[in-house]
Amino acid sequence: MNIREEFKNKYQIEPITVNTRLEDESYLTVKHEDFIPACLALHKLCHSPVMMMFAEDKRKTRSCYRLNTAFYAANTQHWYYICLDFPGADQEFPSVAKEIYSATLFEREIWEMFGIRPEGSPDLRRLRLHEEVWPEGYFPLRKDFTPPPATGRTGQEYNFIKGEGEGLFEVPVGPVHAGIIGPGHFHFTAAGEPIINLELRLGFTHRGVEKLMEGKTLTEALKLCECVSGDAAFAHSLACCSAAEKIFDLTVPARAKLIRAICLELERMYNHINDIGGIALDVGFSFASSFASVMKETILQLNDSISGNRYLKGVNVIGGVTKDINERSAAGLIGKLKTLNTDLKGLEEILFSSASFMDRVDSTGILRQKTAEDIGIIGLAGRASGLTLDLRTNTEPYRLAGFKPIVLGTGDALARLKIRLLEFKQSVQLINSFAGQLASGALASIPAGIKEDFALGAVEGWRGPVLYWLKLDSNQKIERCKITDPSFHNWEGLSYAVQGEIIPDFPLCNKSFDLSYSGNDL
Amino acid sequence: MAILKIIKNRLVKGIVDLRREELMPEIEALGKELKRVINRRFRGSFHLREVDTGSCGACESEIIATTNPIYDVQRFGVNFVASPKHADALLVTGPVSRNMLLALQKTYEAIPGEKFVITLGDCALNGGLFKDSYYTLGGVDKVLKVDLHIPGCPPTPTEIIKRLLSLLIAPGEI
Ligand code: SF4
């Protein structure tokens, strides 16, 4: 669509500038009063939640903050941004969250990290810089940030949403959980058995990744990306690389693209099988879970044999890959996958023929399509609730392999389980197809020249879209890097899915989403 | 029905355990030694409570992998427990995010009697890639006295088992 025309005719909005330097991204800078209407217009036009919203501190050069709100038009695979520049002295911008719910968390993030207030926002509680340990008035992502002289014991507390009424009770859980798992606090309000509200408080693994990124070279940054969310290390580094490649206008060699796609699918496979086992474990079906854990280990060892790392770290470089898959290892890979596929079918039969297992997962933790759409659920959890978004659709090399996203509609734990089973088998097929296409060629192109620019890297990781928005300064160091893991969108989905369920079903619901703590907390 | 499938699966595949010696001889040898030491010093069971203070999750994934049927550390007497009250040692990952400081200290205090502190992964040693952050303390030893470090990003299950053995074997550590 011609966005300028569309905006003018349909919405009477005239952007100040439209930047279409990149093929699949458009940046529309708008006037202050047009900001909310423009966001609403794109929200409608693209049928997209706020995919990402972030600020940049440009007070030094242009004495303003810039706010970018990103939407994704899936039918044209195009990213649209509404950009707003506002004077540094203002420290305020109109809240989008009042109109579009999926902006809420992003606005809370901007408020705590930059100290610029979304005017009229319904919720301004902190996300990651916990009130208990971080004093007021210190905003890490400002360029002139200096750390507070002391932290810890501020005397402040987080305000949980309180349920009131006869017989209601609250169950606080975490941050340290019973299992070997990341930390997070779950605050249940229950009426008898059923949960009437679950509030999540995360941020316990906050490490200040976005600040650490600033001033790093791309090579240094790539290392850090692999440690943002360890179980999605490959998707994260790929997203970072594709952003950089767009900045440098690099064409990635066909062979490298295929190897990347193979690795991305391997990452999906080991995580999906991990969760299938996890779901079985959380309903007490330990045989199935052990079975799955052996399959996971097999894939991790497979990763190790083709890339030298069980978590596929170190495979990506800007411009391509460092590891080759030769004919012999491709044949080995395909052979192993065949066995895994048979194993999966066996596991599936075992799970689906157990009445007590099915009883637990069927229609448990339902996330309705309407709810999922309204709160902006993306990725695997979205597809289980009938939303079709999958960034792999219509992109190479997936198009050639005949890729179609797998979408189910019931939105319960069973649907999320089935999607994993189906995607696992699909990944096997995809890898077979990719491996068959491997023609000889270079592994990487070399970036050249000096580019002071920005771009978005977007990758459909196993949980969903992993987004890296990267901006380089004139010294080729990173000026701003905004990271959005799908977990940031989807944790909210969990708190809706468990409403009405009983607390003992919570672990199962949680596992059926299996979101990242560290990817969310950054 | 499910049980029939399970039995069929077992008949077709055989018992994984019985083929361990041939599959991973290194683990078997290490494990025997580990079991002997744990039997002698901890009356047969060495219990760990894991705390993530801001890891990326890959370290957890490898810790969990040590309990899968291929490595199966439980058979050597190593167990991961839900409550610190049941633990002999604290196993810590992550660079210690400020948000986790209190929880880490409380978990440590909840372990009764003499206790080990084991750090796992480069982050936990000195903050790793996150050591210059405004929000991490840069390693567990800033908070607790550490008895053993298991290096790696993340360490493999084999490495984890090896290092545990070296800790327990060394005399005079407690
Ligand atoms: S040591 Fe490496 S694998 Fe472990 S938590 Fe840190 S970054 Fe992740």
Side-chain angles (χ1 to χ4, degrees), chain A residues 70-357:
Chain A
F71 298 89
Y72 181 62
N75 51 354
T76 50
Q77 289 109 47
H78 199 94
W79 294 86
Y80 292 97
Y81 298 80
I82 299 294
C83 311
L84 175 71
D85 290 329
F86 60 95
D90 271 16
Q91 312 207 342
E92 237 174 40
F93 63 93
S95 162
V96 186
K98 270 195 303 189
E99 310 285 345
I100 310 174
Y101 183 82
S102 47
T104 313
L105 289 173
F106 289 105
E107 288 189 357
R108 285 172 70 179
E109 183 184 38
I110 292 169
W111 163 235
E112 73 175 348
M113 289 294 169
F114 287 90
I116 44 182
R117 176 195 285 273
E119 181 51 29
S121 159
D123 190 351
L124 283 178
R125 291 170 302 164
R126 298 214 208 137
L127 283 176
R128 297 167 180 138
L129 310 175
H130 285 179
E131 283 86 348
E132 290 85 343
V133 300
W134 193 254
E136 266 174 48
Y138 292 88
F139 306 109
L141 285 183
R142 285 189 179 179
K143 290 285 178 196
D144 54 2
F145 162 74
T146 44
T151 61
R153 313 270 161 154
T154 55
Q156 302 286 318
E157 257 181 49
Y158 187 76
N159 275 329
F160 284 101
I161 293 169
K162 287 238 159 36
E164 278 175 25
E166 203 179 338
L168 290 192
F169 57 93
E170 296 181 352
V171 185
V173 181
V176 178
H177 299 287
I180 303 170
I181 189 176
H185 185 84
F186 304 129
H187 199 90
F188 297 95
T189 309
E193 284 273 15
I195 299 164
I196 57 168
N197 189 42
L198 162 62
E199 206 184 346
L200 304 163
R201 190 189 189 197
L202 301 170
F204 288 93
T205 67
H206 181 55
R207 296 144 293 166
V209 174
E210 287 181 12
K211 187 73 182 181
L212 280 172
M213 283 284 184
E214 290 179 8
K216 284 215 178 342
T217 64
L218 281 171
T219 328
E220 291 165 347
L222 206 52
K223 270 217 173 117
L224 192 56
C225 305
E226 291 179 334
C227 297
V228 172
S229 178
D231 53 13
F234 189 82
H236 274 258
S237 70
L238 182 53
C240 180
C241 284
S242 28
E245 283 148 12
K246 270 160 87 178
I247 293 177
F248 283 98
D249 248 329
L250 269 183
T251 320
V252 179
R255 188 176 179 85
K257 269 194 186 155
L258 289 168
I259 294 177
R260 280 177 172 183
I262 291 175
C263 292
L264 191 62
E265 294 311 312
L266 281 172
E267 185 168 85
R268 195 179 316 279
M269 286 173 67
Y270 84 72
N271 279 296
H272 278 1
I273 197 66
N274 178 47
D275 289 340
I276 295 165
I279 290 171
L281 187 69
D282 282 342
V283 305
F285 196 174
S286 56
F287 171 80
S289 125
S290 300
F291 191 100
S293 70
V294 174
M295 288 176 70
K296 178 187 178 188
E297 178 66 27
T298 313
I299 306 177
L300 290 178
Q301 290 179 5
L302 199 57
N303 288 348
D304 194 17
S305 73
I306 65 168
S307 76
N309 187 290
R310 286 161 59 93
Y311 295 87
L312 300 164
K313 292 183 179 185
V315 175
N316 277 315
V317 279
I318 313 293
V321 291
T322 55
K323 301 281 163 24
D324 199 5
I325 299 182
N326 60 24
E327 239 167 72
R328 241 191 58 216
S329 55
L333 178 68
I334 288 173
K336 275 261 166 57
L337 290 185
K338 207 168 156 206
T339 326
L340 282 166
N341 211 17
T342 325
D343 283 352
L344 186 84
K345 283 188 191 132
L347 178 62
E348 190 175 352
E349 273 178 30
I350 289 168
L351 288 176
F352 286 1
S353 59
S354 160
S356 59
F357 174 77

Side-chain angles (χ1 to χ4, degrees), chain A residues 397-460:
Chain A
Y398 288 93
R399 191 190 352 226
L400 253 179
F403 172 81
K404 288 227 162 46
I406 292 167
V407 182
L408 299 174
T410 47
D412 54 353
L414 180 59
R416 288 184 285 276
L417 171 72
K418 278 188 183 162
I419 292 240
R420 290 185 166 97
L421 289 161
L422 292 168
E423 286 196 345
F424 187 97
K425 293 182 216 160
Q426 187 185 41
S427 294
V428 173
Q429 280 174 4
L430 287 170
I431 294 177
N432 280 334
S433 152
F434 297 150
Q437 293 172 46
L438 283 175
S440 57
L443 284 183
S445 354
I446 314 279
I450 288 182
K451 290 280 167 76
E452 189 182 345
D453 228 320
F454 50 82
L456 172 79
V459 168
E460 186 78 22

Side-chain angles (χ1 to χ4, degrees), chain A residues 177 203 207 230 297 310-311, chain B residues 49 56 61-62 71 97 99 133:
Chain A
H177 299 287
R207 296 144 293 166
E297 178 66 27
R310 286 161 59 93
Y311 295 87
Chain B
R49 169 64 243 191
C56 73
S61 178
E62 291 297 55
Y71 302 97
S97 167
N99 292 339
S133 167

Side-chain angles (χ1 to χ4, degrees), chain B:
Chain B
M1 269 314 279
I3 193 73
L4 286 179
K5 299 258 155 62
I6 294 174
I7 293 170
K8 184 182 144 212
N9 178 70
R10 175 154 160 179
L11 289 176
V12 175
K13 293 200 123 175
I15 302 170
V16 182
D17 292 45
L18 297 182
R19 289 170 43 225
R20 275 203 190 108
E21 301 255 3
E22 85 190 66
L23 290 175
M24 306 183 102
E26 191 188 5
I27 293 293
E28 293 313 302
L30 278 172
K32 272 196 195 121
E33 190 61 19
L34 190 59
K35 174 128 194 69
R36 198 179 55 74
V37 179
I38 289 176
N39 279 347
R40 185 165 47 83
R41 289 184 70 189
F42 298 92
R43 298 202 196 143
S45 69
F46 182 63
H47 285 186
L48 293 152
R49 169 64 243 191
E50 196 263 352
V51 174
D52 170 351
T53 67
S55 98
C56 73
C59 277
E60 274 65 32
S61 178
E62 291 297 55
I63 297 170
I64 294 171
T66 62
T67 67
N68 72 30
I70 293 178
Y71 302 97
D72 194 9
V73 284
Q74 286 102 327
R75 70 200 153 111
F76 307 134
V78 179
N79 258 309
F80 295 94
V81 291
S83 168
K85 299 262 184 239
H86 303 154
D88 299 300
L90 192 63
L91 179 65
V92 194
T93 63
V96 193
S97 167
R98 292 187 191 282
N99 292 339
M100 278 306 287
L101 175 60
L102 186 64
L104 175 64
Q105 286 166 332
K106 281 191 172 175
T107 314
Y108 176 78
E109 282 156 22
I111 298 178
E114 284 179 308
K115 43 204 156 186
F116 286 115
V117 176
I118 304 168
T119 52
L120 186 144
D122 297 350
C123 287
L125 177 66
N126 57 10
L129 291 175
F130 306 101
K131 68 164 163 286
D132 299 325
S133 167
Y134 61 87
Y135 219 72
T136 63
L137 299 177
V140 177
D141 63 355
K142 305 279 186 309
V143 190
L144 303 171
K145 186 184 159 290
V146 176
D147 299 290
L148 173 76
H149 175 64
I150 306 177
C153 182
T156 60
T158 316
E159 187 67 22
I160 296 175
I161 296 172
K162 253 192 213 162
R163 298 278 172 160
L164 276 181
L165 179 63
S166 75
L167 167 74
L168 298 180
I169 268 181
E173 277 281 17
I174 296 189

